[in-house]
Amino acid sequence: MDIKAERELIIRELQEVEDISLLKAIKAVLHYGMKNEGRISIEQYNHELLEAEKEIDSGDFTTHEELKSQMKQW
């Protein structure tokens, strides 16, 4: 299958996806693959740090103790 046909097939399949988590995961993989071997610019790195700090400030994180407790339930 050539690249154009493969791309069209993926687009058709994506149009059927209803799971936002799956779409976000696919988007992340695409962005990773389209960058220079996974490298990001300093600007992007700083942006991601700021976003992570916002998540921490809003309490959107898991502590080490919470994670250990969750792992025991696996």
Side-chain angles (χ1 to χ4, degrees):
M1 186 177 291
D2 68 349
I3 188 122
K4 184 178 178 183
E6 192 70 35
R7 186 181 299 123
E8 289 171 357
L9 175 63
I10 291 169
I11 289 169
R12 283 194 307 272
E13 290 179 354
L14 281 174
Q15 290 173 334
E16 301 297 320
V17 175
E18 296 295 331
D19 182 346
I20 190 71
S21 297
L22 176 57
L23 290 174
K24 285 181 178 182
I26 292 167
K27 181 179 175 183
V29 169
L30 283 172
H31 285 185
Y32 179 83
M34 294 172 67
K35 292 179 185 172
N36 267 345
E37 297 177 13
R39 294 190 176 118
I40 60 174
S41 67
I42 291 173
E43 293 81 11
Q44 180 64 29
Y45 177 76
N46 288 333
H47 173 75
E48 290 180 15
L49 285 176
L50 288 174
E51 291 299 312
E53 288 173 352
K54 287 179 188 175
E55 289 178 12
I56 292 168
D57 290 342
S58 70
D60 187 17
F61 62 90
T62 301
T63 66
H64 184 249
E65 292 304 316
E66 291 170 332
L67 182 58
K68 287 192 322 187
S69 177
Q70 289 174 8
M71 288 171 52
K72 289 178 184 177
Q73 298 174 7
W74 292 353

